[in-house]
Amino acid sequence: MIFELLQEQLFQLALVAALLVGLCAPAVGTFIVQRRLALLGDGVGHVALTGVALGFLTGTAPVLTAVIVSIAGAVAIELVRARGRTSGDVALALLFYGGIAGGVMLMGIAPGGSTAKLNSYLFGAIASVTVEDIWVIAALAAAVLAVVAVFGRELFVLCQDEEMARASGLPVRFLSLLIAVTAALTVVIAMRVVGLLLVSALMVIPVATSQQLTRGFRTTMGLAMVFGVLASVGGLLASTYSAKVPPGAAIVLLALAGFVLALGVGRFVRRGRTQETTSSERPTLRVEEVA
């Protein structure tokens, strides 16, 4: 069955899209989770909805307008947060409400527009991905992964302690904006696969799953990317075998199942580490006591 699917172009395109999203979303999500901005993907996703509707209104490519509007929204939220005029959660709430309202309004006044056209972007439509979509997704994914590879060390320091990053001479404002822009690009990449309403889940859940099993930052990111790919491909296969299974929902539910499993396994892993540490310390304590 799988070999037959691999020979179909639609499945090949969907598989490539799932792989790219599964890699990019957790990679960026690692920095977002570390910086306690787990809902940033949701906020940007709602703004991207306005960008999609703007594309229908102007007769241009919805993906292109979604990229522009998402980047503008992500930069705005970061500037508002950095200047301290309002808290991060309030700014995200403004993006939530404004993005949804703007998208519905623009789609309503677009020629021949209807809110039904937004469904494929809200909930994903991986089966309808075209060759042109793949080229756009691949280009955006390459940009996201390049940012992670080049600025990974600096972004890690920033996410750990912003004051330490500033004291170390790092360009905090630039790096903060870089995270926001990268998150915006990731949202646009994933909107055709899992949908704008569920994109944040693929950015956060694999990272939370990986944190149950690992301690190092690089290890956490690498394992999160593995979990992201497994969830994306698994959800795609589930929707392929049953037309009644929505791919976006299947991807997120598989990611959640992985988290629940890792939650139980992580307890045994941490218990084993504790016992190893305790056993390694006991001989030293005994020698000191004898001395």
Side-chain angles (χ1 to χ4, degrees):
M1 180 66 177
I2 299 230
F3 294 103
E4 295 178 358
L5 288 174
L6 289 174
Q7 296 177 359
E8 298 181 6
Q9 185 182 26
L10 288 178
F11 182 80
Q12 294 173 358
L13 296 176
L15 181 61
V16 172
L19 289 173
L20 292 175
V21 171
L23 287 173
C24 292
V28 177
T30 305
F31 298 107
I32 293 176
V33 171
Q34 192 69 27
R35 211 176 185 198
R36 296 177 177 86
L37 290 174
L39 292 179
L40 179 62
D42 269 333
V44 176
H46 286 69
V47 173
L49 184 64
T50 299
V52 171
L54 184 62
F56 284 105
L57 178 64
T58 58
T60 56
V63 174
L64 177 61
T65 52
V67 169
I68 297 173
V69 175
S70 297
I71 291 177
V75 170
I77 182 65
E78 176 56 35
L79 293 177
V80 170
R81 187 198 65 83
R83 292 180 181 179
R85 294 181 179 178
T86 185
S87 60
D89 59 340
V90 173
L92 284 173
L94 295 177
L95 284 179
F96 270 68
Y97 307 142
I100 285 287
V104 174
M105 175 65 72
L106 292 178
M107 182 57 73
I109 64 177
S114 65
T115 54
K117 292 184 178 180
L118 294 177
N119 286 340
S120 62
Y121 295 93
L122 284 172
F123 304 103
I126 191 172
S128 63
V129 173
T130 64
V131 176
E132 291 75 13
D133 291 332
I134 290 298
W135 282 111
V136 174
I137 292 174
L140 296 177
V144 169
L145 295 177
V147 168
V148 173
V150 175
F151 297 97
R153 185 185 299 272
E154 291 80 2
L155 293 176
F156 167 73
V157 175
L158 173 67
C159 294
Q160 285 291 105
D161 191 333
E162 186 171 326
E163 294 301 325
M164 181 183 294
R166 186 175 286 105
S168 302
L170 294 178
V172 172
R173 177 63 59 82
F174 168 75
L175 293 174
S176 298
L177 291 175
L178 189 61
I179 291 178
V181 171
T182 307
L185 294 179
T186 305
V187 167
V188 176
I189 293 172
M191 71 179 181
R192 296 289 286 167
V193 177
V194 295
L196 294 173
L197 295 182
L198 298 175
V199 60
S200 185
L202 198 56
M203 298 172 69
V204 173
I205 297 175
V207 179
T209 304
S210 181
Q211 287 177 337
Q212 304 301 317
L213 305 173
T214 60
R215 290 185 291 184
F217 186 81
R218 291 183 179 179
T219 308
T220 298
M221 178 182 292
L223 191 57
M225 294 170 73
V226 172
F227 289 147
V229 169
L230 291 177
S232 298
V233 176
L236 172 62
L237 291 175
S239 64
T240 302
Y241 283 117
S242 177
K244 295 182 179 181
V245 177
I251 290 172
V252 174
L253 289 176
L254 281 176
L256 283 171
F259 173 78
V260 173
L261 180 62
L263 195 62
V265 175
R267 292 181 179 179
F268 292 99
V269 173
R270 288 189 293 270
R271 184 180 302 175
R273 289 172 180 169
T274 303
Q275 292 176 351
E276 289 178 1
T277 303
T278 304
S279 62
S280 63
E281 290 176 352
R282 284 176 180 172
T284 304
L285 291 173
R286 288 177 180 175
V287 171
E288 291 176 351
E289 288 174 356
V290 173

